[in-house]
Amino acid sequence: MGRIIKQANNPKSETMGWRNAFDNAKPVFVTIYATVIIGIIFSSLYVISAIYSGKSAADSTTSWLSRSPPVEQAPNVSQPAIVQAVPTPSLEPRSMSTRPIWEAPLHTNKMPPLKKFRLSKELVQERVKDNVIIVTFGNYAFMDFILTWVKHLTDLGLSNLLIGAMDTKLLEALYWKGVPVFDMGSHMSTIDVGWGSPTFHKMGREKVILIDSILPYGYELLMCDTDMVWLKDPLPYLARYPEADVLTSSDQVVPTVTDDRLDIWQQVGAAYNIGIFHWRPTDAAKRLAKEWKDMLLADEKIWDQNGFNDLVRKQLGPPVDGESGLVYAFDGNLKLGVLPASIFCSGHTYFVQAMYQQLRLEPYAVHTTFQYAGTEGKRHRLREGMVFYDPPEYYDAPGGFLSFKPSIPKTLLLDGEHNVKSHFSLINYQIKQIRMALAIASLLNRTLVMPPLWCRLDRLWFPHPGVLEGSITRQPFICPLDHVFEVNVMLKELPEEIFGPQINIREYSFFDNPLMPKKVKESWLEVQLCQGGIQDCVASNTTSPSGVLRFPKRSNEETFKTIFSSFKDVKVIQFSSMQDSFPGFTDKAREEKFKNRVKRYVGIWCCVAEHTPGHIYYDMYWDEKPGWKPIPPQTPEDDHPPP
């Protein structure tokens, strides 16, 4: 488009040609050239309007992840290997704060100096809408969480957001992807700091300082952690409570209401959770923010969330009125509301209880609390819920995928009482199949799509009777993978000389994800295990007319390699079951390395009440240990993962 306009308007020779044309044949050529010019103008306007109207097809998938900085400005990071999206051109110069989200700066531009990214009222004002700003913050280790957080909000039509960057690497990466960002001046490490570490507590203090800094600007602040996602526009809900100074989420696991009202504050016994809370710039809220900040800066041992709870609960009551659900708190003047845990969900109410489903409500948000296996566990939970955005290559891994149907007997799933013994019987049955699937995935160099994992009992950090009293957890239920498996260990790169080759995994909901490409869905081989020696059960690469491959149980390593080498270009191989599918590696050294790897994959169940310690270790090779029973360690020397 730019080239056509240049040829029509700029070169001298073209200008002379136009002058001669008008001199020699004005009546005809005036009309022709006028038509051409008008056509060019209308075409240009059409293209520009198409660029700026609505969301592009790229924004509806994951191409927004691909906008990378120019080579000379790139932070020292590995960018995803994704087809590069062309940045949307600006019609006029815009600041980095007013530019539409995902509209990347032109690669001919240089990144502005850091001082341009300092937090100020003017910077916030450029993003505010209806007097509300939505903020999260983090370091580069949470880049993919932050992009997921932003993508959910922009998909909901919300653009009044800002990201606080705790390190320069994140700030640069977000800037070149067209995400509004400011510098928190934290000079923090770019790696995952780990929950509970000193740096983690520093992050909490940064949050409080940030709240205390933004409230005086006069805008409502919806402050969020990066390990949560928005599923529904929360602003209309928050606007229903205009008198509230603070609306906070909580760790409540027992429902206090069955509709979308605020939780009943008198019945909320769990901690208020500061991963999602909304502040209005009132005097009472400002006083709370300042006192909270002063408390944390005076004592580095105080956890930010505990400090918030201590302050807010200094006075709790009376109710503000008889209808709103608000309560006077803190100094007796702050009006507080507790967001309903059924729809502003924790990791328990969303992934374990599925409270919103049982109460037939629409969730606004999910925060990955009540989970295990660190940051990898959080990411995997969001992937299980199909609310995490991964680049396209995640859905089309080299070597293809392996999956299987768990085929769990009804007796293990439903019969008898839900107790420790029946829970471990159910889990052990699944563990054995998963162990065989991991071996076959390793043998065929495929990524294993984990099956849904069924549990009879919940997992917590303290003794409980199986499920939390008052909760609406169904038994049995599909439990998150991190309830049983150490997801962080499964995803960690371990030395091959000790643990054998890496075995990649995907979440159980993988094939249901709308981002799954059609070429993967349509490249599928069904494998039906059969008893060797009977009719039509021979090792062959010939499939039935319906495309099913019959394959003998307990086939050895060489048979697997020989038969399935014919299907190396098939994206997905799905087995009907893993029962008796593979007897193990013939190479004893490889078998030993495989055992070294996968025995580390399982974790603990917690906890029985009548014994200390009360946790019980899962054992990947429980079936090879005669008389194995699910009991806690009997002595301190026994308190270690199974050998």
Side-chain angles (χ1 to χ4, degrees):
M1 181 176 67
R3 187 178 296 115
I4 294 174
I5 293 174
K6 182 177 179 181
Q7 290 175 348
N9 295 326
N10 291 336
K12 185 176 180 180
S13 60
E14 292 294 334
T15 304
M16 293 298 296
W18 278 43
R19 185 178 299 141
N20 293 337
F22 276 105
D23 289 340
N24 297 331
K26 286 184 180 180
V28 176
F29 283 90
V30 165
T31 303
I32 293 174
Y33 281 111
T35 303
V36 170
I37 292 170
I38 292 170
I40 291 171
I41 292 172
F42 274 95
S43 298
S44 302
L45 291 174
Y46 177 81
V47 171
I48 292 171
S49 67
I51 291 173
Y52 285 93
S53 63
K55 296 179 182 178
S56 69
D59 284 341
S60 67
T61 58
T62 55
S63 63
W64 50 275
L65 283 167
S66 66
R67 292 167 186 161
S68 305
V71 174
E72 67 274 15
Q73 293 291 334
N76 185 23
V77 296
S78 175
Q79 294 293 331
I82 310 172
V83 176
Q84 298 297 301
V86 178
T88 308
S90 297
L91 291 175
E92 57 186 36
R94 311 187 199 198
S95 78
M96 56 192 173
S97 299
T98 58
R99 185 186 299 118
I101 298 174
W102 306 123
E103 182 185 301
L106 294 176
H107 282 191
T108 55
N109 295 348
K110 289 186 177 180
M111 184 169 172
L114 277 180
K115 64 181 181 180
K116 294 289 187 181
F117 294 90
R118 290 174 186 162
L119 181 66
S120 65
K121 182 176 181 179
E122 291 71 28
L123 185 146
V124 175
Q125 188 175 32
E126 289 179 331
R127 300 297 330 171
V128 162
K129 183 177 180 182
D130 298 329
N131 210 51
V132 178
I133 188 71
I134 310 171
V135 176
T136 193
F137 67 101
N139 68 344
Y140 188 80
F142 283 84
M143 173 79 165
D144 54 350
F145 283 88
I146 290 169
L147 292 176
T148 292
W149 185 87
V150 174
K151 183 68 165 61
H152 276 280
L153 285 173
T154 55
D155 283 354
L156 292 169
L158 297 172
S159 59
N160 49 327
L161 60 93
L162 274 172
I163 312 299
M166 302 187 78
D167 61 74
T168 306
K169 192 173 180 180
L170 175 66
L171 187 144
E172 292 179 359
L174 292 178
Y175 172 78
W176 290 112
K177 287 183 181 295
V179 175
V181 60
F182 65 93
D183 180 20
M184 293 181 66
S186 306
H187 307 293
M188 188 177 168
S189 168
T190 60
I191 63 174
D192 186 357
V193 298
W195 193 94
S197 68
T199 309
F200 173 85
H201 287 295
K202 180 188 175 184
M203 289 181 72
R205 281 151 176 73
E206 296 277 0
K207 176 193 292 184
V208 181
I209 293 170
L210 193 54
I211 294 169
D212 185 59
S213 299
I214 292 177
L215 286 180
Y217 297 160
Y219 306 121
E220 295 180 33
L221 170 63
L222 179 53
M223 175 62 74
C224 320
D225 285 352
T226 57
D227 62 340
M228 60 80 58
V229 296
W230 291 105
L231 307 174
K232 185 178 178 180
D233 181 356
L235 300 186
Y237 185 95
L238 302 174
R240 285 165 50 180
Y241 302 96
E243 298 301 314
D245 297 305
V246 176
L247 293 168
T248 181
S249 60
S250 79
D251 290 335
Q252 183 73 10
V253 294
V254 177
T256 70
V257 293
T258 57
D259 53 22
D260 67 348
R261 291 175 294 156
L262 293 176
D263 265 334
I264 299 172
W265 61 269
Q266 296 95 328
Q267 298 179 26
V268 177
Y272 303 141
N273 191 291
I274 61 173
I276 305 172
F277 52 175
H278 174 258
W279 297 68
R280 285 196 171 85
T282 61
D283 290 340
K286 291 175 187 175
R287 284 195 299 271
L288 172 61
K290 184 179 186 307
E291 189 165 334
W292 187 20
K293 180 190 74 173
D294 292 344
M295 169 197 280
L296 295 182
L297 294 181
D299 188 347
E300 63 181 16
K301 295 180 181 178
I302 299 176
W303 182 28
D304 55 348
Q305 182 163 291
N306 287 348
F308 177 82
N309 276 269
D310 290 345
L311 287 174
V312 169
R313 294 174 185 269
K314 280 200 305 186
Q315 178 178 332
L316 201 58
V320 172
D321 52 50
E323 297 179 0
S324 68
L326 301 176
V327 58
Y328 286 108
F330 176 46
D331 58 0
N333 295 308
L334 182 113
K335 295 184 282 292
L336 176 77
V338 184
L339 297 167
S342 57
I343 50 180
F344 290 85
C345 306
S346 67
H348 198 279
T349 61
Y350 190 89
F351 293 106
V352 177
Q353 295 189 58
M355 191 183 288
Y356 70 95
Q357 287 182 349
Q358 297 200 66
L359 298 178
R360 301 294 188 267
L361 300 171
E362 292 184 22
Y364 282 88
V366 55
H367 185 195
T368 53
T369 55
F370 289 88
Q371 54 77 221
Y372 311 91
T375 301
E376 291 83 359
K378 292 175 180 287
R379 188 181 288 108
H380 195 84
R381 285 238 187 151
L382 294 175
R383 285 170 170 166
E384 287 181 331
M386 295 186 289
V387 293
F388 195 83
Y389 289 104
D390 282 293
E393 59 265 27
Y394 180 81
Y395 300 96
D396 190 11
F401 302 99
L402 177 80
S403 69
F404 70 96
K405 298 175 182 178
S407 307
I408 302 171
K410 168 188 169 296
T411 53
L412 289 176
L413 199 60
L414 301 173
D415 289 2
E417 294 182 3
H418 297 292
N419 53 35
V420 170
K421 183 179 178 181
S422 63
H423 171 75
F424 271 82
S425 294
L426 173 61
I427 294 296
N428 283 347
Y429 182 88
Q430 297 172 90
I431 281 177
K432 185 176 179 181
Q433 291 202 58
I434 290 170
R435 186 182 78 208
M436 292 187 181
L438 287 165
I440 295 172
S442 178
L443 181 63
L444 301 181
N445 194 27
R446 287 180 173 266
T447 296
L448 177 62
V449 179
M450 298 295 286
L453 191 65
W454 285 91
C455 292
R456 281 182 176 247
L457 303 184
D458 197 356
R459 176 184 176 179
L460 294 154
W461 296 272
F462 48 82
H464 60 93
V467 294
L468 288 170
E469 293 185 20
S471 70
I472 56 175
T473 305
R474 293 169 286 193
Q475 292 175 276
F477 64 99
I478 294 178
C479 52
L481 188 66
D482 60 76
H483 269 211
V484 175
F485 286 84
E486 298 291 317
V487 177
N488 54 326
V489 177
M490 299 180 82
L491 298 176
K492 185 178 181 180
E493 291 190 11
L494 301 172
E496 281 199 27
E497 61 271 18
I498 301 173
F499 302 102
Q502 176 75 18
I503 308 169
N504 295 317
I505 63 166
R506 295 291 187 267
E507 63 279 5
Y508 74 85
S509 56
F510 184 67
F511 294 124
D512 295 324
N513 197 306
L515 297 178
M516 176 62 58
K518 185 178 180 182
K519 66 179 180 179
V520 175
K521 287 182 177 180
E522 294 181 349
S523 180
W524 199 282
L525 174 68
E526 292 280 352
V527 179
Q528 182 73 47
L529 289 181
C530 56
Q531 190 64 47
I534 65 172
Q535 186 178 7
D536 297 331
C537 187
V538 293
S540 168
N541 58 9
T542 303
T543 60
S544 70
S546 59
V548 175
L549 177 72
R550 287 174 61 79
F551 189 73
K553 294 180 179 180
R554 293 178 291 277
S555 292
N556 62 30
E557 186 175 343
E558 289 306 314
T559 302
F560 266 92
K561 287 182 177 179
T562 301
I563 298 303
F564 288 101
S565 64
S566 302
F567 302 100
K568 64 180 185 302
D569 294 329
V570 174
K571 299 289 186 181
V572 183
I573 295 176
Q574 178 170 266
F575 280 74
S576 59
S577 172
M578 280 291 158
Q579 283 295 101
D580 301 321
S581 58
F582 182 56
F585 294 97
T586 53
D587 183 338
K588 297 305 178 184
R590 180 166 185 180
E591 178 71 16
E592 190 61 30
K593 291 177 182 179
F594 176 76
K595 283 188 174 183
N596 281 342
R597 172 179 290 278
V598 301
K599 71 182 182 182
R600 289 168 167 77
Y601 281 6
V602 288
I604 62 169
W605 175 82
C606 182
C607 283
V608 297
E610 65 277 4
H611 194 277
T612 302
H615 56 259
I616 303 172
Y617 287 94
Y618 292 108
D619 191 337
M620 184 68 89
Y621 288 91
W622 63 274
D623 55 316
E624 296 183 2
K625 299 172 182 176
W628 186 93
K629 293 181 180 179
I631 57 175
Q634 298 301 293
T635 67
E637 292 73 24
D638 294 333
D639 191 4
H640 57 76

